C-alpha cells in the first residue's frame, strides 16, 4: 500500500494565514501586513496566498473577525437568566477584553461587521436581546451602535498611558491641576479599567431610565 509522504511544512490554510497576519498586526500594526511579509512568515510563495484570500483587505477582515469570535455572547442566550442591562454589562467587558489584547485591529472593526460572520453574530445577538427585552427596534439599533462606539473607543488607546512619568513635565505654573499626572502611567490599568467601568455604569443607568419611560417597566421587570 502506497502512503503519501508528509509535507515538510504544514499545508497552507486560511487559519494559518490569519494567524500570521494577526501576529504581524499585533507586533507592527496594520501597515505591516503585505503579501510579501506574510509569504515570508509562512514559508510560501506570495501567489499561493491568493488561493485563500483575494486581497489584503480580505485578510485583515478575517483577522478582525477572529477577534470578534472571541467575544462571549452566552449572556444573551434565552436560558442565561440575565436582564438586558446585566447582559450588556458582561458583554461589554468581554468585548473590551478581546480588543485590549489586539488594539491594532480596532480600526478595521470600527468599519462595521460588513460580511464578517462573527461580527454579524455579535450584532445579531445584541439587537435580538434588546428587542426581546422590549426595546423598540430603532432604539435597539441605536443601543448597539452606542455600545460599539464606547467599547471600540476605549480600546484605541490608554488615557493614563498618555502621561509621562516625569513630575517636571507638569509645571504647576502652567498646569495647576496636574500635580499628580506623572503618577498616572504607573497606574495605567487601574485608571483605564476604572474609567471604562465608570462610563459603562453611566451608560447603562441612563438607558435604564429610558427603558422605564418607554416600557413602563424597571430593569429586570
Amino acid at each position: 500500500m502506497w502512503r503519501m509522504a508528509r509535507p515538510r511544512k504544514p499545508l497552507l490554510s486560511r487559519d494559518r494565514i490569519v494567524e500570521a497576519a494577526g501576529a504581524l498586526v499585533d507586533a507592527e500594526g496594520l501597515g505591516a501586513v503585505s503579501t510579501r511579509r506574510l509569504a515570508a512568515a509562512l514559508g510560501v510563495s506570495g501567489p499561493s496566498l491568493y488561493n485563500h484570500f483575494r486581497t489584503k483587505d480580505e485578510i485583515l477582515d478575517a483577522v478582525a473577525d477572529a477577534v470578534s469570535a472571541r467575544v462571549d455572547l452566552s449572556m444573551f442566550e434565552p436560558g442565561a437568566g440575565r436582564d438586558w442591562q446585566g447582559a450588556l454589562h458582561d458583554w461589554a467587558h468581554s468585548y473590551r477584553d478581546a480588543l485590549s489584547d489586539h488594539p491594532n485591529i480596532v480600526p478595521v472593526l470600527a468599519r462595521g461587521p460588513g460580511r464578517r460572520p462573527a461580527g454579524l453574530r455579535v450584532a445579531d445577538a445584541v439587537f435580538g436581546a434588546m428587542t426581546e427585552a422590549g426595546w423598540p427596534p430603532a432604539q435597539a439599533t441605536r443601543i448597539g451602535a452606542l455600545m460599539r462606539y464606547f467599547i471600540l473607543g476605549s480600546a484605541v488607546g490608554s488615557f493614563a498611558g498618555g502621561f509621562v512619568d516625569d513630575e517636571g513635565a507638569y509645571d504647576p505654573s502652567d498646569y495647576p491641576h496636574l500635580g499628580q499626572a506623572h503618577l498616572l502611567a504607573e497606574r495605567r490599568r487601574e485608571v483605564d479599567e476604572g474609567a471604562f467601568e465608570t462610563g459603562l455604569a453611566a451608560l447603562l443607568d441612563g438607558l435604564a431610565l429610558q427603558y422605564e419611560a418607554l416600557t413602563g417597566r424597571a430593569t429586570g421587570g
Side-chain angles (χ1 to χ4, degrees):
M1 180 177 179
W2 292 94
R3 293 182 179 179
M4 294 181 63
R6 292 183 179 180
R8 294 180 180 178
K9 296 179 181 177
L11 295 174
L12 190 62
S13 66
R14 287 179 64 92
D15 287 345
R16 284 192 66 213
I17 295 169
V18 170
E19 183 179 358
L24 275 176
V25 172
D26 286 346
E28 302 180 41
L30 295 172
V33 179
S34 68
T35 301
R36 180 183 60 80
R37 291 288 302 276
L38 282 175
L42 292 163
V44 299
S45 63
S48 63
L49 299 177
Y50 295 113
N51 293 324
H52 301 276
F53 295 98
R54 292 177 297 176
T55 65
K56 170 184 169 178
D57 284 343
E58 281 193 1
I59 295 173
L60 292 177
D61 268 348
V63 172
D65 214 38
V67 174
S68 294
R70 299 174 189 176
V71 180
D72 183 13
L73 300 175
S74 64
M75 67 288 293
F76 295 121
E77 294 174 359
R82 306 302 309 279
D83 63 35
W84 66 266
Q85 194 175 13
L88 279 181
H89 176 276
D90 292 353
W91 166 71
H93 275 282
S94 176
Y95 199 173
R96 181 174 182 269
D97 287 346
L99 298 183
S100 294
D101 291 336
H102 309 281
N104 290 340
I105 199 64
V106 170
V108 179
L109 287 163
R111 301 172 192 163
R115 298 176 182 273
R116 298 193 297 269
L120 290 170
R121 281 193 291 272
V122 171
D124 181 72
V126 175
F127 180 81
M130 295 306 100
T131 53
E132 288 172 12
W135 284 99
Q139 190 66 359
T141 299
R142 297 185 190 108
I143 290 170
L146 167 67
M147 296 300 295
R148 195 169 68 87
Y149 297 152
F150 175 67
I151 297 165
L152 292 176
S154 75
V156 169
S158 164
F159 174 81
F163 294 86
V164 298
D165 184 14
D166 178 7
E167 187 173 4
Y170 307 104
D171 190 321
S173 64
D174 294 323
Y175 315 106
H177 305 296
L178 296 181
Q180 301 296 306
H182 65 286
L183 301 176
L184 289 174
E186 67 182 35
R187 299 175 183 174
R188 175 173 176 165
R189 182 170 182 175
E190 175 187 352
V191 172
D192 291 345
E193 291 185 358
F196 181 77
E197 184 59 38
T198 298
L200 180 59
L203 282 176
L204 295 178
D205 287 347
L207 288 173
L209 294 175
Q210 291 185 29
Y211 181 78
E212 186 170 2
L214 283 168
T215 67
R217 292 181 284 166
T219 301

